Structures are given as structure tokens and as C-alpha cells.
Amino acid sequence: MGNFNGIAKREDEKMIVDNIQFYRPYSNDEAIYHMEIEDGTITSITPGRYQGNEEDVHDGKGGIVAAGFNDSHMHLLRYGLLKKELDLTEVASWQEMKEAVQNHYKEMEEYDWIFGKGFDDGSFEDIDKLLTADDLEEIFPDKYMYFMHQDGHECVISRKALELLKEEEGFKKEPDMFKETDEHGNWNGRFKDTAVHYIKRHFWGRSVEDAKQALKKAFPHISKYGITSLHTDDLNFIGSYEKLWQAYTELESEEKLPIDVHLHHYIFDKNDLDDFIKENTRRTGDGTKQVKVGAIKIFLDGTQRLHTSAMRNPYPDKPDTDGVLIYSQEQLNSMIKTAAENNMQVAMHAIGDRAVEQAVSALEMPEAKTKVLRHRIIHAQCKAPDLIERMKKIKPYIETQPSFLMEEWMDKDKWTPEDLLPYCDAFNSLIKSHIPITLSSDLPIGTINPLESIYAAGTRTDLDGNPEGGWMPQEKLSLSDSFHSFTVTPAELEYQEHAKGKIKEGFQADFVLLNKNPLKVGDSEIKNIEVEETWYRGRCVFQKQEG
């Protein structure tokens, strides 16, 4: 993994990083520089090698320095829990899954919960259907069990857990389309999208200490790939925003937080929003030096794989459905108005073009204060010319996940009418229309490696180079646009574009040392560039080990 021992140096110490070149978007500069850092800030950038007598000089050995990556959309606590708790992402069969769970939970009390994350039963060859509550009885009879699918938008729970769920009045508000039933019309234990989020939020809550331990498991991986800032939606994995805030701020006070972080607050309805506004005095951008309030997170629809994302036309491979909108336009408008009145940024999950249209309609309201608050639409995978034209006027930020294309390009025509395919994941069209976009991971669903996301944005292929020439190649991003969208644009969402995201005097000293110059390798080789070092606020938090 490399070296990670918390924060290696005090932030107020002076440091010279010598013998380096820079990669900066929209620039082609091959000169050698040295850079002075003090109080976590770049104080000077000077051509040539360092000639002074400062003791603390770090030799960059001619390496390429670029701004640290800012991932604007992930689930960091969930990723850490995968590293800390039962990870089912590698199980290849139902039998392997049963054995993994039984081996992990050898001793149990009567009311203990069993849970695991990352299974993909659609790929199991030893069972000819998807798992239900009845199947889970083969693992442990009469136990509370919850298993999350690999993509995070589907789960299966046990019969005993189902009995608890039937007593939840709030769960009745979740769309019926997200609750699978058997031939008798009874819930079969399998749930989708916001129903999954409800179960996570209400059935258990981890302690602050559990969250801290999981996050500490995640940090070395984050630093290894050059991520120095991130925005994360973690609430459903701990159940309380107060506990979430405490976990991160305690790590900060212990000097064990190697990132800047914005914490989103996911809401189910207007009551959730009202409670947050009433119970919390902090608003978007408020917080400590490293931990700040992010956006109000709202799900408008589901996912394409499950045919629950809201489309304006039926799914080609399932013409009896066009997905589902979770809220009416009036309900959404009310939430956006309330958030804006209270200076809260909003981030809306919208995948289908009908959901994107709903988001755009809400953001067009003058009361939304879209340009001032810099609201965002997450994913916006399926668009259309009329929606892009409307976005030009209000300029919402669009959070894209290019690595999704590596797994989904071959299925796009199943989910989207042929005439709209050119507007799926239309990254370059958004850039040309001056609609700001960020590149992000949706970790742990997408790749943790920003350079793989940049590769996907620039080639629009999977890691094996398929399809040849790229899927909808007119939507490829330039290298400069991709790096800009992973550094500068996310800083704009934080209102920090004059302080973060660039290698520039007066900016926060967040940067990576790369083993190759992105300008010197072909587009197909971007994914193979490695991070040699990661620096956060002027301190080296990751260094690749020799050999």
C-alpha cells in the first residue's frame, strides 16, 4: 500500500519540494521548479532547482506534480465498512456466500444482526434465481439478516427482518415499485433504491467508534490514489448526522484525518429536511477546518439496471415500464425552496431523463437560487437536447461517474430509446454548453482510482479498450477538461475555487506526485499512471514503497 502513519509533519512547518515538473490543465510546461510550502499553503513557485540552505527539502526527482483529486460524490463510510466488516464482493456463488457468512458469524446472540455488503447474485451459477428471504434461511434460520447488493441500490433481508419492517409505518411511504413481492403479493425480502436506504437508516446504527475504525481502514486507500478532498453521503450507514459529524471531527482533532471532507445529509421527505434545519445551525460550507456541511441529498428516481430510473419513454427491453419518480414536482419544489431559504446546497440523484427534467424544473425556480448556491444533479445519465438547453440557462453542477461507462456501455441500448443514446453520459456536450461537471467515483460502486475515471472519460471504453474507438466517441473529454473537472470544479462546489484545486501560489498545498506526465502518454495509458506521493495541506500522507 505504501506508507501511512497518520500526519507525518506539523502543518506549520516550512517545506521545500524541489526538482519537480508540473501538470496543470490547459498548460504545457516542461520546466523544472521548486515549490515552497508553509502553513499548509503554497507560498512560492520558482523556476530551477532550489539553491538555498533550508534543511527541510524534499527531492521530487523530476516527478510530475498535479493538484490533488477532489472526489465530489462517494460513500466513504460504506467503503471503509467493506474493508472492516463482511465484504461479499469476491464471492462467486451462492454456496460461497453462505460459507462466507457462516464463517464470519460463528458466535451470535439472539438479537444480533447479520449483515454483509457487495454480493452479486445475478452472476451466481449455482442458483437459477435472485435471492429472497426464503433462501437466507439456508444460512441461519430465524435471524435478523441484511445483505446489500454490489451496486448499493438493492438488498435482501431475512424473514425475521421482514417482520420488523412490517411494523414500520414510515416504510409504507416508499414506492411499491421498490418492494418485490411473491406470487401471493407478499414482500419476498428483496428491496430497491430508497427502500434500501430506509432499511439501512432505521434498523441499526453503528457507534461513533465503529465509524472511526471503518474510516481509518479507508484512508490509506484514499491517499494511495491521490484523493485529498471528497464529498460523501454516509448518513444511512450510521443513522445519525450528529454521530457522523462526531466521528469525522474526532478524527480531525486526533490528527488522523488526511482529507478535507463535506458531509451530505440525505433526506427522505420534507419532514426530514425540516428536522435537519431545526436541529442543526450549520449550513453548507460551515464547520471545522477539515470537516464541513455538504449538501442536502435527495433521490428523485432509481437505477437503470433495475428499470426504476424515471424515463420519459418506456425502457426498450421492458416496454411495460418507464421507471418511477419518488416525488411530485410540487413536493420537490417545496424541498428545494426550503433548502435554499436556509442556505443549503442541494444534490439530487436523477438518472432517467424524466427525473433530470424534474430536477431542472425545480432549479429553474427563482427561489431555488441555483447559481448562488451551486446546486447539483448527480448522475444525469440520460438527457435530451431540450434538457441541455434548459441547463445552459441555470448552470447546475452535474456530477458524472465516467467509470460507470466501463461496465454499462453495452447495456445502454436496453435502457434508452435509440434516438436518445447520443445524450447518455454526454460529458463533452455539457462542457461545450458551459454547464459545469465534476468527475467522481460513487465509491464503492465506481473505481476508487481517479486516473481510471479520467481514462474512461477520455476514451469512453472499458479497461480492455472496448468498444473500439469508444462508445459515443463525440462525448470524449479532453485530458485538460477531465483534470479540471476532478480538481477545480469540485472546489467551486465548496466555494473554494480561489484557494483549492490548483498548483498555484496562495492555494492549499494538496498535490500528487505522478510517475508519468499525462501529456506524454497516450489516452489509453492514462489508467496506468501511478501516484508516487500524495501531499495534503503540505504534509506527505502517502509515499509509494520501493519495489
Side-chain angles (χ1 to χ4, degrees):
M1 174 66 67
N3 297 325
F4 180 84
N5 298 305
I7 302 302
K9 295 178 58 60
R10 280 177 36 218
E11 188 177 310
D12 58 357
E13 291 183 16
K14 187 175 179 180
M15 164 69 70
I16 305 294
V17 182
D18 187 29
N19 191 16
I20 51 177
Q21 299 180 66
F22 293 130
Y23 170 73
R24 291 182 268 205
Y26 316 112
S27 173
N28 187 4
D29 180 0
E30 298 184 36
I32 292 290
Y33 291 85
H34 63 274
M35 180 167 62
E36 184 174 315
I37 300 167
E38 192 167 2
D39 294 333
T41 300
I42 300 171
T43 54
S44 68
I45 296 174
T46 308
R49 296 291 303 271
Y50 178 66
Q51 302 298 323
N53 56 9
E54 177 72 33
E55 292 184 2
D56 214 343
V57 179
H58 180 80
D59 186 359
K61 301 178 182 179
I64 308 299
V65 167
F69 297 109
N70 188 336
D71 192 323
S72 66
H73 180 64
M74 68 159 62
H75 309 274
L76 183 60
L77 180 54
R78 177 183 166 196
Y79 178 77
L81 290 168
L82 277 172
K83 300 300 179 186
K84 177 179 178 289
E85 298 175 352
L86 179 56
D87 181 358
L88 299 172
T89 54
E90 299 299 322
V91 299
S93 68
W94 173 222
Q95 184 61 34
E96 281 186 30
M97 179 172 166
K98 287 188 286 187
E99 292 174 357
V101 177
Q102 289 166 344
N103 289 335
H104 190 82
Y105 290 95
K106 291 182 178 178
E107 296 183 9
M108 293 196 60
E109 300 295 330
E110 181 181 357
Y111 297 106
D112 283 351
W113 273 88
I114 295 169
F115 50 90
K117 297 163 289 296
F119 78 96
D120 181 10
D121 51 349
S123 66
F124 293 171
E125 295 184 355
D126 57 345
I127 187 169
D128 59 2
K129 65 182 185 67
L130 299 180
L131 298 175
T132 66
D134 289 343
D135 299 305
L136 299 191
E137 295 299 298
E138 296 180 26
I139 303 178
F140 290 113
D142 199 32
K143 291 289 184 184
Y144 295 112
M145 289 183 273
Y146 169 94
F147 299 105
M148 182 186 291
H149 191 275
Q150 194 170 41
D151 70 1
H153 287 275
E154 201 171 7
C155 75
V156 60
I157 67 175
S158 64
R159 290 176 185 167
K160 192 166 185 175
L162 269 176
E163 293 306 312
L164 275 185
L165 193 58
K166 290 173 183 176
E167 299 173 5
E168 289 282 324
E169 287 297 317
F171 190 70
K172 295 176 182 178
K173 299 177 185 178
E174 297 302 311
D176 288 338
M177 189 175 183
F178 297 164
K179 307 166 184 174
E180 286 196 13
T181 56
D182 59 23
E183 64 273 17
H184 304 296
N186 299 315
W187 295 343
N188 67 5
R190 201 170 182 96
F191 300 95
K192 304 172 184 177
D193 297 313
T194 59
V196 177
H197 305 156
Y198 183 98
I199 296 167
K200 285 185 296 186
R201 176 88 64 91
H202 291 82
F203 273 15
W204 66 82
R206 293 173 178 85
S207 69
V208 170
E209 189 57 37
D210 283 342
K212 288 171 65 177
Q213 292 304 317
L215 290 168
K216 285 192 283 188
K217 290 283 187 181
F219 292 152
H221 302 271
I222 292 295
S223 296
K224 174 184 176 181
Y225 290 104
I227 299 168
T228 53
S229 295
L230 56 88
H231 304 184
T232 183
D233 170 17
D234 291 342
L235 182 56
N236 289 333
F237 298 93
I238 192 170
S240 158
Y241 196 81
E242 292 74 22
K243 288 198 296 182
L244 185 66
W245 187 267
Q246 183 181 345
Y248 277 96
T249 52
E250 283 186 7
L251 288 169
E252 178 183 7
S253 66
E254 295 163 7
E255 296 191 338
K256 293 179 180 177
L257 185 67
I259 49 171
D260 283 357
V261 60
H262 279 64
L263 302 179
H264 293 335
H265 188 284
Y266 170 38
I267 63 170
F268 285 98
D269 53 29
K270 180 68 161 49
N271 290 335
D272 273 353
L273 176 58
D274 291 340
D275 288 344
F276 176 80
I277 297 299
K278 180 180 178 181
E279 295 168 6
N280 295 272
T281 58
R282 300 184 188 92
R283 300 292 181 253
T284 298
D286 292 343
T288 66
K289 188 174 185 178
Q290 294 177 251
V291 184
K292 292 182 169 58
V293 176
I296 294 294
K297 172 81 174 287
I298 309 174
F299 268 78
L300 304 191
D301 67 347
T303 56
Q304 290 179 305
R305 181 182 70 84
L306 298 173
H307 300 94
T308 52
S309 57
M311 303 292 290
R312 296 193 290 192
N313 299 279
Y315 283 82
D317 67 338
K318 196 173 182 181
D320 61 335
T321 185
D322 57 5
V324 61
L325 284 175
I326 295 170
Y327 306 104
S328 69
Q329 189 70 57
E330 292 72 22
Q331 288 173 319
L332 179 61
N333 290 353
S334 176
M335 288 188 282
I336 299 298
K337 287 177 182 178
T338 297
E341 287 168 0
N342 290 277
N343 294 317
M344 286 299 300
Q345 194 179 76
V346 174
M348 290 177 282
H349 165 114
I351 290 182
D353 57 348
R354 184 156 53 110
V356 173
E357 181 177 37
Q358 187 184 57
V360 169
S361 295
L363 296 182
E364 286 173 333
M365 296 186 301
E367 302 95 324
K369 300 190 289 188
T370 297
K371 290 184 179 179
V372 173
L373 292 172
R374 305 182 183 183
H375 297 310
R376 33 181 136 173
I377 303 175
I378 305 167
H379 309 305
Q381 286 179 277
C382 187
K383 293 174 288 296
D386 65 302
L387 297 176
I388 293 175
E389 285 299 314
R390 291 168 67 183
M391 288 180 191
K392 284 182 183 180
K393 298 176 183 178
I394 57 172
K395 300 279 192 292
Y397 283 72
I398 308 299
E399 292 185 345
T400 73
Q401 296 76 37
S403 69
F404 287 3
L405 272 178
M406 295 192 292
E407 302 292 334
E408 296 181 349
W409 65 265
M410 71 292 293
D411 293 320
K412 291 290 185 181
D413 59 349
K414 299 177 185 177
W415 303 328
T416 309
E418 185 175 1
D419 61 333
L420 290 183
L421 284 174
Y423 303 98
C424 288
D425 299 286
F427 308 142
N428 195 41
S429 289
L430 294 174
I431 291 287
K432 289 192 297 184
S433 297
H434 304 289
I435 299 165
I437 73 169
T438 68
L439 304 192
S440 59
S441 65
D442 204 354
L443 188 74
I445 302 168
T447 178
I448 189 176
N449 185 354
L451 289 158
E452 286 189 357
S453 291
I454 290 170
Y455 159 86
T459 65
R460 295 181 70 87
T461 71
D462 60 25
L463 294 176
D464 296 322
N466 297 312
E468 186 176 355
W471 188 80
M472 299 295 165
Q474 74 277 7
E475 294 298 337
K476 293 178 180 179
L477 281 187
S478 71
L479 188 65
S480 288
D481 285 341
S482 292
F483 267 88
H484 188 272
S485 298
F486 234 132
T487 53
V488 175
T489 311
E492 293 174 5
L493 285 170
E494 303 173 2
Y495 310 98
Q496 292 292 312
E497 64 266 35
H498 301 299
K500 288 178 64 175
K502 294 181 181 179
I503 303 298
K504 186 176 179 180
E505 292 177 358
F507 274 57
Q508 193 165 305
D510 299 342
F511 58 90
V512 292
L513 194 69
L514 304 175
N515 69 340
K516 295 178 182 177
N517 189 332
L519 290 172
K520 299 294 186 181
V521 303
D523 289 344
S524 63
E525 294 301 312
I526 293 293
K527 65 181 184 296
N528 297 323
I529 295 176
E530 294 183 350
V531 172
E532 298 280 348
E533 297 174 0
T534 300
W535 290 65
Y536 168 67
R537 292 182 178 265
R539 297 163 289 181
C540 186
V541 295
F542 167 79
Q543 188 171 52
K544 185 180 176 183
Q545 293 176 340
E546 297 291 335

